[in-house]
Amino acid sequence: MRKRIVAGNWKMNKTLQEGIELAKEVNNRVKALAPQHTQVIVGTPFIHLAEVNKLADAIAVSAQNCATEASGAYTGEVSAAMIASAGCRYVILGHSERRSYYGETDEILVKKVARALENGLDIIFCVGEVLADREAGKHFDIVKSQLENGLFHLDAASFARIVVAYEPVWAIGTGKTATSTQAEEMHAFIRQTIAGRYGKEAATATTILYGGSCNAKNADELFSQPDVDGGLIGGASLKADDFLAIINARENH
Ligand code: PEP
């Protein structure tokens, strides 16, 4: 069975002290729950990574970005090697906020993907269309091109280290969730697109997460869909009660 994942994306929230408190609570509650089928990940700001990794023994830790370059004179950047050295297993790449606010193109993402894989990080790779694309009926084409241009140059062994997160941009932080039918339709399309490139077995083994205003109330319905393997959770990952409710929804399905 492919891996089910609930991953939190804290974005630029929580001071170091607040982040440690939240991570401690999530870790301890996940440890008590002892999920059998669900990998729990917290995606923290860079500054939190080392400390959160020290306390995390029931959850995995992810960065939210990494540099395109390996090392050197790139003021303000954080390399994939540094992230790995803090104890992280994952990095989120291609988040729509990075694509739209920081101009991350497919070409930039190809470099980041390479740096992450070279340093042993598995990648949560985000794809998703903006509202205008959906309204124009172009959402499948957009997502297909993000997969093709960002990932499909990888060989099969490297691709096996990718978790895909479908995040319709119009649903991120807006409180407007995709319906479970819309989510399933896109997840099935993503799986079929992966099958076209890497074969059915690889596609069946790929974890595909839904992200976009997923919360304690709608998680159960979203996770009931056969191709929705879990969630990438923004706002609702900042409160332990809400995040745990989503983890429980995944675990109990
Ligand atoms: C995200 O940023 O990945 C996300 C899904 O955010 P939210 O859950 O707040 O919509």
Side-chain angles (χ1 to χ4, degrees):
M1 198 169 79
R2 60 182 166 259
K3 212 187 277 178
R4 295 166 164 198
I5 293 175
V6 174
N9 174 14
W10 293 2
K11 313 192 186 193
M12 196 176 72
N13 291 294
K14 305 286 179 193
T15 63
L16 178 58
Q17 291 74 19
E18 291 166 349
I20 290 170
E21 282 316 301
L22 175 60
K24 220 181 262 176
E25 183 172 359
V26 169
N27 184 73
N28 290 343
R29 290 174 68 174
V30 169
K31 200 177 340 188
L33 180 69
Q36 299 299 299
H37 318 290
T38 311
Q39 161 86 76
V40 178
I41 303 171
V42 291
T44 81
F46 288 133
I47 202 90
H48 302 60
L49 293 176
E51 291 298 324
V52 172
N53 266 302
K54 276 187 216 156
L55 67 85
D57 58 5
I59 59 177
V61 185
S62 177
Q64 300 171 15
N65 182 27
C66 73
T68 53
E69 308 305 318
S71 67
Y74 301 100
T75 302
E77 289 293 277
V78 175
S79 73
M82 293 171 190
I83 293 164
S85 75
C88 288
R89 248 185 76 193
Y90 291 93
V91 61
I92 298 167
L93 292 177
H95 192 280
S96 70
E97 287 151 18
R98 301 288 323 167
R99 290 180 192 261
S100 67
Y101 303 153
Y102 302 99
E104 290 198 1
T105 59
D106 293 333
E107 291 72 25
I108 288 173
L109 288 170
V110 164
K111 289 191 190 172
K112 293 189 176 198
V113 165
R115 296 297 87 73
L117 293 174
E118 282 160 16
N119 286 283
L121 297 171
D122 290 349
I123 298 167
I124 300 172
F125 190 88
C126 305
V127 296
E129 80 286 354
V130 298
L131 187 59
D133 291 328
R134 179 162 280 266
E135 285 174 348
K138 291 198 262 178
H139 43 299
F140 293 114
D141 291 344
I142 295 289
V143 167
K144 186 166 188 237
S145 92
Q146 289 169 335
L147 292 169
E148 286 175 347
N149 297 334
L151 294 174
F152 282 6
H153 61 288
L154 296 174
D155 62 21
S158 296
F159 188 80
R161 293 169 50 200
I162 306 292
V163 171
V164 176
Y166 169 57
E167 300 208 302
V169 180
W170 45 271
I172 296 178
T174 58
K176 193 167 187 263
T177 322
T179 65
S180 56
T181 308
Q182 286 171 322
E184 173 57 23
E185 184 184 45
M186 183 59 86
H187 282 229
F189 172 78
I190 290 170
R191 206 176 296 289
Q192 181 197 321
T193 306
I194 293 168
R197 167 67 180 86
Y198 293 101
K200 196 162 187 297
E201 208 175 309
T204 304
T206 303
T207 297
I208 307 175
L209 309 181
Y210 169 79
S213 300
C214 181
N215 58 37
K217 291 206 178 84
N218 59 32
D220 196 54
E221 165 72 14
L222 287 160
F223 297 163
S224 69
Q225 301 302 309
D227 287 291
V228 178
D229 302 317
L232 180 55
I233 317 298
S237 71
L238 295 171
K239 290 197 184 123
D241 285 348
D242 291 355
F243 195 47
L244 262 292
I246 295 168
I247 295 163
N248 265 301
R250 177 64 290 180
E251 181 64 7
N252 294 333
H253 239 293

